[in-house]
Amino acid sequence: MYGIALDLGTSGFRAQLIDLETDETLKTVITMGHPLPGGNVMDHLDFAITTGEDVAHGVIIETIRRMFLKFDADLSKVERLAVCGNPIQLSLFQNIEIRDLAYAGENKQKMLGVQNVTRDSRVFPASDIFGDDFFRGCEIIVPPAIKHEIGADALAMMLETDFLIQTEPALVTDYGTNAEMALKVGDRIITASAAAGPAIEGQGISSGMLASPGAICDVKPEGEYWKVMVLDNEMEKQDAYLINPVTGEMKETNGYEAAGITGTGVISAFALALRSGLVEKPPKLPNGKLILGPGIEITEKDVEEAGKAIGAIRAAHMTLIVESGIKYEDLEYAYMSGASGAYVDAEDARRLGAVPGYAKKIVQFGNTSLALARELVLDRSRLDDVIKIAKKITADHLMMATSNTFNNFYLCELSYWTMGMPLEMYNQMLELYGLPKLPETLEHVSIEKRVSKDIEQVGVGGLALLKEIGIILEVPVEKCIYCQKCMEECPENALEITETDGIRTAKYDSQKCLGTSCRRCVSVCPENAIDITKLRIKAK
């Protein structure tokens, strides 16, 4: 019999097939992106509310079906499926209420009638989600949220690290598009999240990609050249080549080719460029770019996008410290989890501010969300322990969207990363806001790397990628005059207009569509022909 562990991330999904008799991981499948339009949780929420929760749920479930088929196994033998992720992804997976997550205002929630929504643990038949034709006799396990906005993934990062046992101030962060974090001071735990955006995981930048085989994950200096490292098929770091980042001259190759750059590679490249003097202040680059391989470049626009992500995380960390009442120098531990937390060079990250440079000890973990799902697959009784721990955690949640402290910190971060504001002026602005100045980065700290990769064991069947999810959303466009302006305007080539039996239809590749942050196709149409509220999944 088999079990499946499933992690529903904001930037993509990860699943593992497990032999329940031997506890052995057989195979791992990951998607190269999220199936819903957009690059963050707010895009996904907006799509679900605008187009319909049933449509969003259908896209997610069809994606998961296609992932599971890549296991090449008899799925009728799957006995248990454990699913972990943030509240938005888990709610869309289960097709349950999401409007309380979209609207922070109590009056709005009351008007909608969505108050007192609970997200407790659930164990239910897989047929409730997938029907009877996919799994037989399988149960789905969903771990609990601590509060409606503090989900199972946040619980996982606390449980799968040493965070909860620390007596000194400790910070844990699950690095990703929606970076969840928690600060423990004594018995008090303050949770938060920072909408860092997709650049932290290598998306939304010109040569970006998720952590997967061929992704540049790190760079190191060797004279005027940079040693570029990529992930191999087992998701291990390998030396690829030596390159001059200004001229693109290739000095040495080692048989590995780069397909793009992931978020950790971006952080490493920025840190090295600043340290080596190639960048005096962001976002200026020599000749407007850094060359990291054939056809792989980092542009000044990429610096801005990644800077926004790093800045959001640093601003959130400092906000947590200030609001907790402790001082920067009181922070003892900083735990890092997720793909970016596992692969990034912690020294580079703390020099840039992605991890607190004032933490005395840094500990790196991998994908804690998938790790918790795997534990629940292997031992169903583990759910009882998780529920008990969740009830004991009396977490205060800090909403960054309504925090003036975060707003002031992030304004300074934006000015630094996108406009080149000097750090001296940054501190002057903080003084005007009544906030402590930027903390000093400690010269020597303890850095412990507990894992070599975010998913420690991919299984004997290896790692399979679902690069092109291939789900098409379509809507009739009766007023369409076939001017093709919508297709020309689409920056991702996600849209095409087709005609069958005289009926014109707009068809979107859900994975490529940028969703809320774009909608150029709608605004450019001279006939207002596209009604995205009527999008539906193309029939098979």
Side-chain angles (χ1 to χ4, degrees):
M1 302 303 294
Y2 299 133
I4 295 177
L6 177 63
D7 168 36
L8 301 179
T10 304
S11 59
F13 300 165
R14 289 165 170 78
Q16 288 192 315
L17 183 68
I18 301 163
D19 187 323
L20 293 182
E21 293 183 3
T22 64
D23 294 351
E24 181 182 17
T25 299
L26 300 177
K27 193 171 183 178
T28 300
V29 178
I30 66 176
T31 66
M32 293 301 292
H34 197 284
L36 292 181
N40 56 62
V41 290
M42 296 314 297
D43 286 341
H44 303 158
L45 266 178
D46 179 82
F47 175 82
I49 291 173
T50 302
T51 305
E53 294 175 32
D54 287 343
V55 177
H57 169 74
V59 170
I60 286 175
I61 298 306
E62 180 57 28
T63 299
I64 293 170
R65 284 175 179 270
R66 296 181 186 191
M67 291 178 70
F68 290 174
L69 290 174
K70 279 191 166 289
F71 284 138
D72 297 321
D74 184 354
L75 296 178
S76 67
K77 294 183 179 180
V78 175
E79 185 175 286
R80 193 174 302 132
L81 166 62
V83 190
C84 200
N86 65 48
I88 293 171
Q89 307 300 337
L90 286 182
S91 297
L92 292 174
F93 168 79
Q94 298 173 83
N95 204 17
I96 61 177
E97 183 63 71
I98 59 169
R99 291 174 296 173
D100 61 312
L101 300 171
Y103 304 108
E106 292 183 5
N107 291 335
K108 178 69 173 181
Q109 290 186 17
K110 185 176 181 180
M111 183 183 72
L112 294 171
V114 295
Q115 290 183 308
N116 302 317
V117 178
T118 60
R119 289 183 170 80
D120 298 328
S121 64
R122 289 184 68 199
V123 180
F124 58 96
S127 57
D128 289 359
I129 296 289
F130 295 97
D132 295 324
D133 60 338
F134 203 66
F135 292 121
R136 297 188 185 93
C138 175
E139 65 179 9
I140 294 178
I141 301 173
V142 179
I146 302 172
K147 290 184 178 180
H148 86 281
E149 66 272 82
I150 311 169
D153 55 346
L155 181 60
M157 74 181 180
M158 299 184 209
L159 288 170
E160 300 298 319
T161 65
D162 304 332
F163 174 78
L164 290 175
I165 67 173
Q166 296 304 336
T167 57
E168 298 294 326
L171 177 74
V172 59
T173 306
D174 186 2
Y175 286 85
T177 301
N178 189 51
E180 287 81 14
M181 58 189 68
L183 175 67
K184 185 175 185 291
V185 180
D187 293 330
R188 184 187 181 196
I189 296 175
I190 310 172
T191 62
S193 63
I200 198 68
E201 295 199 89
Q203 299 185 91
I205 57 177
S206 54
S207 298
M209 61 186 293
L210 292 176
S212 56
I216 296 174
C217 58
D218 202 0
V219 293
K220 298 293 182 187
E222 287 201 8
E224 63 180 13
Y225 294 91
W226 286 7
K227 179 191 292 183
V228 175
M229 284 166 272
V230 302
L231 297 175
D232 64 15
N233 290 333
E234 297 298 320
M235 301 293 281
E236 298 279 3
K237 281 186 182 182
Q238 301 292 346
D239 294 346
Y241 44 76
L242 286 177
I243 192 170
N244 185 308
V246 178
T247 65
E249 176 198 353
M250 194 83 71
K251 183 179 181 181
E252 179 184 304
T253 60
N254 295 294
Y256 291 94
E257 294 185 5
I261 183 167
T262 193
T264 60
V266 171
I267 289 175
S268 181
F270 289 171
L272 182 52
L274 285 166
R275 192 164 69 245
S276 63
L278 286 179
V279 178
E280 293 184 6
K281 58 181 181 180
K284 298 298 180 183
L285 297 174
N287 303 318
K289 62 185 178 182
L290 294 172
I291 304 171
L292 296 182
I296 301 175
E297 298 176 349
I298 292 178
T299 67
E300 291 179 354
K301 180 64 176 175
D302 296 335
V303 175
E304 291 187 9
E305 291 303 312
K308 292 174 187 176
I310 295 168
I313 293 172
R314 177 158 67 170
H317 285 162
M318 293 190 295
T319 299
L320 277 174
I321 296 291
V322 170
E323 296 296 340
S324 73
I326 66 172
K327 297 178 181 178
Y328 295 131
E329 56 267 27
D330 294 334
L331 186 64
E332 190 73 16
Y333 290 92
Y335 291 96
M336 308 173 70
S337 69
S340 294
Y343 291 119
V344 73
D345 185 302
E347 183 64 30
D348 288 341
R350 74 187 199 92
R351 294 290 176 183
L352 281 184
V355 64
Y358 44 92
K360 302 176 186 68
K361 300 180 181 69
I362 298 173
V363 187
Q364 294 177 267
F365 284 81
N367 187 321
T368 52
S369 185
L370 186 63
L372 178 58
R374 192 177 192 279
E375 286 184 16
L376 294 172
V377 166
L378 293 175
D379 183 3
R380 190 181 184 281
S381 66
R382 173 65 169 149
L383 181 63
D384 296 329
D385 298 331
V386 172
I387 293 170
K388 290 178 183 178
I389 293 171
K391 288 180 178 179
K392 288 181 180 179
I393 297 176
T394 54
D396 298 325
H397 188 68
L398 179 59
M399 186 77 73
M400 293 298 170
T402 57
S403 169
N404 286 330
T405 301
F406 174 78
N407 182 62
N408 292 333
F409 273 130
Y410 192 50
L411 281 175
C412 293
E413 288 290 330
L414 281 178
S415 298
Y416 171 74
W417 285 103
T418 66
M419 301 175 64
M421 183 175 75
L423 292 177
E424 181 181 359
M425 186 177 295
Y426 188 128
N427 281 321
Q428 291 173 355
M429 293 300 296
L430 292 181
E431 186 177 358
L432 288 175
Y433 294 138
L435 295 171
K437 68 178 183 179
L438 278 172
E440 295 291 333
T441 299
L442 299 176
E443 282 303 315
H444 302 288
V445 302
S446 168
I447 297 176
E448 181 183 359
K449 197 175 180 70
R450 298 277 180 91
V451 296
S452 62
K453 48 190 177 180
D454 69 320
I455 302 174
E456 195 67 11
Q457 298 294 331
V458 297
V460 293
L463 177 71
L465 305 180
L466 185 58
K467 293 183 179 180
E468 300 291 337
I469 296 173
I471 296 177
I472 302 300
L473 300 170
E474 59 182 16
V475 59
V477 283
E478 296 177 3
K479 297 180 182 178
C480 176
I481 58 175
Y482 204 62
C483 64
Q484 301 188 45
K485 287 183 178 180
C486 57
M487 295 168 60
E488 295 169 359
E489 189 71 14
C490 180
E492 299 297 321
N493 296 318
L495 166 66
E496 68 170 339
I497 304 294
T498 64
E499 183 172 335
T500 304
D501 298 328
I503 299 175
R504 285 178 181 162
T505 304
K507 296 184 178 181
Y508 294 82
D509 185 321
S510 68
Q511 181 183 5
K512 294 179 180 179
C513 178
L514 297 177
T516 307
S517 60
C518 181
R519 291 187 179 169
R520 298 183 192 178
C521 56
V522 175
S523 60
V524 78
C525 179
E527 300 297 322
N528 295 319
I530 301 175
D531 185 353
I532 59 172
T533 67
K534 295 181 179 179
L535 281 170
R536 295 295 179 264
I537 300 174
K538 181 183 177 182
K540 296 180 181 178

